Each structure stands twice: as structure tokens, then as C-alpha cells.
């Protein structure tokens, strides 16, 4: 993390997306580093945790699919316009508080993978 902070020293903060493992927090800085450095790093990083239920990777893929269908489904001639359009799309998604509704339950998983369970048992 020190190297990341050094590489992005001009960034106001650095967003880190990670799973919910109990060691994944700013308190880990204090366990491994001098208090002053740990404090500086803790201020620099903004932690975002993946959902405990469902696949965060599937959720990210769903968002990329929405971006592709709702924003990138046409020719965009230059990078400046692309950034502007993607930014507007992102603001709209945030404004409406778009979420992913996870619908793949344990029962659906059991139904879908039942034939594989049979194969493993035999």
C-alpha cells in the first residue's frame, strides 16, 4: 500500500475494493507500520467492501453490461466525448441509486446444479 500511495501521491484518496476479510481495514496499517505513517495511509485510502452475499464480480459484469447497452451502444468519435458520456451515465446511475438485485438463491443453485451433485455422488 505504501508503494501505491507513493505512485498516486497527488490523488486526494485511493479507493480500494476488496472482500470482507477481517484483516482488510485501515487498522492493519497500525499493526505493520509506525503510527504516523499508518495514520497518513489510513487517511489516503477509502475502503469499499464486496457484498457478503452474491458474486461481486457478477455485479460488476452487470454494471458493465448496462454501461454498454445504455451508453456505449453507438459510435463515440473521441476520448473526450467518451469520458463525458460515461460520466453522465455514471451520474445518472448514482442519482437513481441503481442496484443489482441478487436473485440466485440457494434453492435455485441446488436446482441448477442438481445433476452435478448426482455425478459427484456416483
Amino acid at each position: 500500500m505504501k508503494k501505491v500511495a507513493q505512485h498516486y501521491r497527488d490523488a486526494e484518496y485511493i479507493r480500494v475494493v476488496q472482500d470482507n476479510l477481517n484483516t482488510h481495514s485501515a487498522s492493519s496499517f497500525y499493526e505493520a507500520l509506525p503510527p504516523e505513517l499508518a495514520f497518513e495511509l489510513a487517511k489516503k485510502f477509502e475502503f469499499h467492501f464486496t457484498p457478503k452475499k452474491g458474486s461481486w464480480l457478477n455485479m460488476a459484469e452487470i454494471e458493465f453490461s448496462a454501461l454498454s447497452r445504455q451508453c456505449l451502444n453507438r459510435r463515440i468519435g473521441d476520448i473526450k466525448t467518451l469520458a463525458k458520456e460515461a460520466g453522465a451515465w455514471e451520474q445518472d446511475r448514482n442519482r437513481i441509486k441503481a442496484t443489482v438485485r441478487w436473485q440466485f438463491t440457494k434453492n435455485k443453485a441446488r436446482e441448477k446444479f442438481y445433476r452435478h451433485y448426482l455425478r459427484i455422488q456416483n
Side-chain angles (χ1 to χ4, degrees), residues 4-74:
V4 172
Q6 289 170 348
H7 186 74
Y8 295 102
R9 68 174 49 101
D10 293 337
E12 184 178 339
Y13 55 87
I14 299 167
R15 291 185 179 119
V16 180
V17 178
Q18 57 194 359
D19 62 15
N20 281 288
L21 190 63
N22 61 350
T23 60
H24 292 171
S25 69
S27 63
S28 297
F29 293 140
Y30 291 92
E31 293 173 17
L33 302 167
E36 300 80 22
L37 180 56
F39 180 72
E40 289 304 312
L41 287 173
K43 289 190 314 185
K44 188 82 167 170
F45 287 89
E46 179 181 282
F47 294 101
H48 295 269
F49 298 96
T50 59
K52 290 182 180 178
K53 292 184 177 183
S55 166
W56 68 269
L57 186 55
N58 285 350
M59 293 177 186
E61 289 172 346
I62 289 167
E63 281 301 300
F64 282 129
S65 175
L67 172 64
S68 179
R69 286 181 284 111
Q70 297 168 3
C71 179
L72 305 177
N73 59 348
R74 63 197 190 284

Side-chain angles (χ1 to χ4, degrees), residues 59 62-63 66 92-94 96-103:
M59 293 177 186
I62 289 167
E63 281 301 300
D92 189 52
R93 295 287 285 180
N94 290 336
I96 64 172
K97 296 183 168 116
T99 60
V100 174
R101 191 166 150 246
W102 195 252
Q103 298 178 8

